[in-house]
Amino acid sequence: MTKHVFVTGGVVSSLGKGLTAASLGRLLKCRGLSVTMQKLDPYLNVDPGTMNPFEHGELFVTEDGGETDLDLGHYERFIDENLSRKSNATTGSIYSQVLANERSGEYLGKTVQVIPHITDEIQRRIMSLAGEDVDVVITEVGGTVGDIEILPFLEAIRQVRLRVGRENVFYVHVTLVPFVGPSGEQKTKPTQHSVTELRSRGIQPDAIVCRSPEPLDDHLRSKISNLCDVELRGVVNLPDVGSLYEIPPMLHREGLDEQVCRQLGLDGRPVDLDEWNELVERVAQAQRVVRVGIIGKYIDLPDAYLSVVEALKHAGFDQGARAVIEWISAEEVPRHIEEGTLRSLDGIVIPGGFGERGIPGKIAASAFARENNIPCLGLCLGLQVMVIDYARNVLGLEDANSSEFDPMCANPVIDLMEAQRDVTDKGGTMRLGSYPAVLEADSEVARLYGSLEVSERHRHRWEVNPNYHDALSDGSLRLSGRSPSGELVEFIELATHPFWVATQGHPEFKSRPTRPAPLFVGLMEAARHRADGRAPRLIDLEAVDA
Ligand code: GLN
């Protein structure tokens, strides 16, 4: 029987509810349990695919091409499992389904209502993740208790307890215990109010995770226990920590996983946190600062590139280095080149994106990195601008461009493939999710992956134009990885450069703290070399065995 843990949030948003849920997931996995996770989002967008990254942060792509909330990235990185599009449900997607059912007559003429139709659909989504091979589903309810939009979700998770039995459900409530006043007194009142609100919806939390700047004292713990009617051991303190990787061990010391297991009758094995503790140790020891510039369009909201930043950190830990991110606005690249900022960097990432803004700056950054031996990694749009830079500045095709930015250009080195050209509904034409690639045996990318058959997640429409493959690969540029049919370019690299590599995919989505993404490791390896002040190095590439 699959057990369910529900995580709700109180008092304010941005308390780290997702990280708390993900950390609990990791702890349960470390007890040998199979865990999957889900995020229920109260907003009305059908999925986050069309949401502005300026506003909502990164869009996280799953293996099966789901365009999901960035919290799924935290889940995957912490529990080290691939999730699917089923792991993210929004109010919009739930209503769409119910309305479609209504149109097709499924409700047999009944009045369609929030209760039971919407709440049933929410439960169907939750239950769809349960199964024989899943011990625990952890479901995070987005938003804050007290929000109007959250009510159907609270009602649904209350009903799940009735459906599957009390002994199979555990409710965690994450709240804030602020310091107030000149003397910095810790206040429990907001937590009490939030729990009262939750109880008014019929949900009594089994554990309260108290977020606070400093650890809670014992007196406060008993006060919260007493007033919120939660066992003392259910009052879990999670003060601010230096690195987010410290959260799982901290929750474990506070006994959260033990309480969940005891109450749910999950006699798991003892927690094996060795791998995670090694990671925490590696993080603490990674002191060598390596400065990597992200040439971005959405730099005012760094969450827009969350997985890229995480992947850089993971690769840093692997290289004993601490990745320090320098945010460079693509539009200001010329100034940064002039002032020497770009030259002072140890490495550069040109990340993914849409639309024309900032493109000249990205092309200039690619050229500067190429000409000055600065390690440079291009991701998706990054690959496209690096190809444009090469075509213009090395091959001399001055008007080379992407037809995304100049539909009339004479040399569209980046173009839509035939099948996509006539489709007017752009939403349906993206190459989304995991796609395989075949690498050339003696390439830098094959060395880094240690394999010739790889796959990465995608989210884009434009491709390197097959009409230019020959011209592009005539000199020092290598099209070192392609789709199995050979038609699509998946990886490029420059043979005469320490690291100038790009991919049409988004390897950042598959990077895990304990298993960094190979291309990011390659970038950090070369960037660390540069940070150490050593001369640019060219690696002798030997053929990787298939
Ligand atoms: N705009 C480009 C395309 O659609 C790149 C997309 C991206 O970087 N994710 O192909």
Side-chain angles (χ1 to χ4, degrees):
M1 173 88 192
T2 303
K3 311 284 182 175
H4 291 269
V5 176
F6 294 104
V7 181
T8 54
V11 185
V12 290
S13 58
S14 307
L15 280 178
K17 187 157 42 90
L19 281 169
T20 305
S23 301
L24 176 61
R26 180 75 191 201
L27 290 173
L28 297 179
K29 202 182 160 194
C30 287
R31 286 178 176 263
L33 298 164
S34 70
V35 180
T36 193
M37 299 192 63
Q38 180 178 45
K39 173 95 190 274
L40 302 176
D41 276 312
Y43 50 74
L44 280 168
N45 304 61
V46 173
D47 63 42
T50 52
M51 287 166 92
N52 186 344
F54 281 122
E55 206 180 297
H56 194 69
E58 166 190 275
L59 183 128
F60 188 79
V61 181
T62 52
E63 283 289 287
D64 63 345
E67 298 179 281
T68 68
D69 188 86
L70 54 75
D71 266 321
L72 267 75
H74 288 312
Y75 301 167
E76 285 204 355
R77 289 186 282 271
F78 270 61
I79 65 173
D80 197 6
E81 297 282 343
N82 288 336
L83 301 173
S84 74
R85 62 173 77 238
K86 280 205 310 196
S87 284
N88 195 192
T90 68
T91 295
S93 75
I94 287 156
Y95 270 79
S96 296
Q97 185 61 54
V98 169
L99 294 175
N101 294 348
E102 187 269 337
R103 290 289 89 183
S104 65
E106 215 164 286
Y107 300 122
L108 305 172
K110 289 218 164 57
T111 309
V112 180
Q113 294 178 297
V114 172
I115 299 173
H117 300 100
I118 296 294
T119 47
D120 279 356
E121 178 61 20
I122 298 172
Q123 288 180 70
R124 196 185 65 73
R125 303 287 179 101
I126 295 168
M127 299 311 292
S128 74
L129 287 180
E132 253 170 40
D133 50 349
V134 182
D135 295 321
V136 186
V137 178
I138 300 179
T139 301
E140 176 192 350
V141 181
T144 306
V145 167
D147 294 348
I148 291 175
E149 302 91 331
I150 212 178
L151 292 177
F153 291 101
L154 295 182
E155 175 60 13
I157 67 171
R158 184 191 68 75
Q159 289 187 20
V160 168
R161 186 186 53 191
L162 207 59
R163 177 191 283 234
V164 302
R166 247 158 229 276
E167 65 287 8
N168 296 316
V169 173
F170 193 98
Y171 298 108
V172 180
H173 190 53
V174 183
T175 73
L176 175 71
V177 179
F179 273 73
V180 178
S183 57
E185 228 184 309
Q186 292 177 312
K187 293 291 186 189
T188 64
K189 194 74 83 190
T191 298
Q192 292 175 47
H193 281 305
S194 177
V195 171
T196 302
E197 174 70 28
L198 196 58
R199 286 159 79 182
S200 76
R201 304 291 157 201
I203 297 171
Q204 166 64 42
D206 298 294
I208 300 179
V209 174
C210 303
R211 294 280 296 105
S212 54
E214 297 288 332
L216 294 187
D217 64 37
D218 288 347
H219 153 74
L220 241 72
R221 259 177 209 264
S222 8
K223 191 169 166 190
I224 292 173
S225 160
N226 195 13
L227 296 173
C228 298
D229 199 14
V230 170
E231 283 180 70
L232 192 56
R233 60 184 169 202
V235 181
V236 171
N237 188 200
L238 185 59
D240 291 348
V241 282
S243 114
L244 46 96
Y245 306 106
E246 290 170 36
I247 300 174
M250 183 167 275
L251 289 179
H252 176 59
R253 284 195 294 279
E254 289 279 306
L256 180 61
D257 52 313
E258 197 186 323
Q259 207 205 334
V260 169
C261 288
R262 191 174 345 95
Q263 195 165 316
L264 293 178
L266 290 164
D267 11 76
R269 285 147 258 171
V271 171
D272 176 4
L273 267 176
D274 287 356
E275 193 192 22
W276 197 268
N277 286 335
E278 265 170 42
L279 168 72
V280 175
E281 186 63 22
R282 256 203 319 279
V283 174
Q285 277 174 3
Q287 289 303 337
R288 183 79 181 90
V289 168
V290 172
R291 292 172 57 243
V292 179
I294 297 183
I295 315 291
K297 176 168 143 186
Y298 314 108
I299 61 166
D300 290 332
L301 182 67
D303 264 4
Y305 300 107
L306 186 63
S307 292
V308 175
V309 172
E310 286 301 310
L312 284 168
K313 288 190 197 159
H314 303 163
F317 307 149
D318 183 77
Q319 295 293 310
R322 189 155 64 83
V324 171
I325 311 296
E326 304 287 344
W327 295 101
I328 310 261
S329 160
E331 287 164 301
E332 285 172 28
V333 165
R335 178 171 67 78
H336 286 298
I337 289 179
E338 206 166 297
E339 289 173 2
T341 328
L342 234 56
R343 188 181 295 281
S344 75
L345 295 170
D346 303 315
I348 287 176
V349 174
I350 308 181
F354 292 81
E356 201 184 350
R357 217 185 86 203
I359 295 299
K362 290 188 176 187
I363 296 173
S366 161
F368 190 80
R370 186 172 46 72
E371 288 161 1
N372 293 284
N373 281 328
I374 301 172
C376 178
L377 174 62
L379 307 168
C380 203
L381 178 67
L383 175 139
Q384 299 174 358
V385 299
M386 285 161 76
V387 167
I388 296 169
D389 156 39
Y390 187 85
R392 284 186 191 174
N393 301 319
V394 180
L395 301 184
L397 296 173
E398 272 167 38
D399 55 357
N401 211 335
S402 163
S403 57
E404 178 180 7
F405 318 128
D406 179 5
M408 303 313 289
C409 94
N411 281 300
V413 288
I414 306 295
D415 203 0
L416 289 176
M417 301 298 280
E418 202 63 54
Q420 287 167 312
R421 222 164 269 157
D422 307 323
V423 188
T424 43
D425 171 14
K426 294 285 186 220
T429 59
M430 285 239 209
R431 189 143 77 98
L432 271 172
S434 182
Y435 281 87
V438 180
L439 309 182
E440 286 185 0
D442 56 350
S443 60
E444 170 77 344
V445 286
R447 176 184 79 83
L448 290 167
Y449 279 91
S451 165
L452 298 185
E453 284 172 27
V454 302
S455 67
E456 293 292 359
R457 299 181 193 170
H458 287 247
R459 181 173 184 256
H460 62 104
R461 294 187 191 93
W462 274 264
E463 306 281 353
V464 176
N465 185 340
N467 297 336
Y468 291 86
H469 284 188
D470 288 345
L472 286 169
S473 51
D474 207 23
S476 53
L477 186 72
R478 295 180 63 185
L479 311 183
S480 49
R482 301 191 196 207
S483 59
S485 71
E487 195 188 19
L488 305 176
V489 172
E490 294 283 7
F491 294 88
I492 63 167
E493 60 191 70
L494 205 54
T496 50
H497 192 284
F499 189 91
W500 195 84
V501 175
T503 173
Q504 191 58 73
H506 285 280
E508 66 272 24
F509 293 136
K510 287 203 336 197
S511 181
R512 308 272 160 90
T514 46
R515 288 188 295 130
L519 293 194
F520 283 85
V521 172
L523 175 75
M524 286 306 282
E525 206 179 40
R528 184 177 170 154
H529 193 89
R530 183 174 162 88
D532 288 343
R534 289 181 270 161
R537 100 230 127 122
L538 287 177
I539 293 176
D540 267 341
L541 293 167
E542 283 167 28
V544 171
D545 287 335

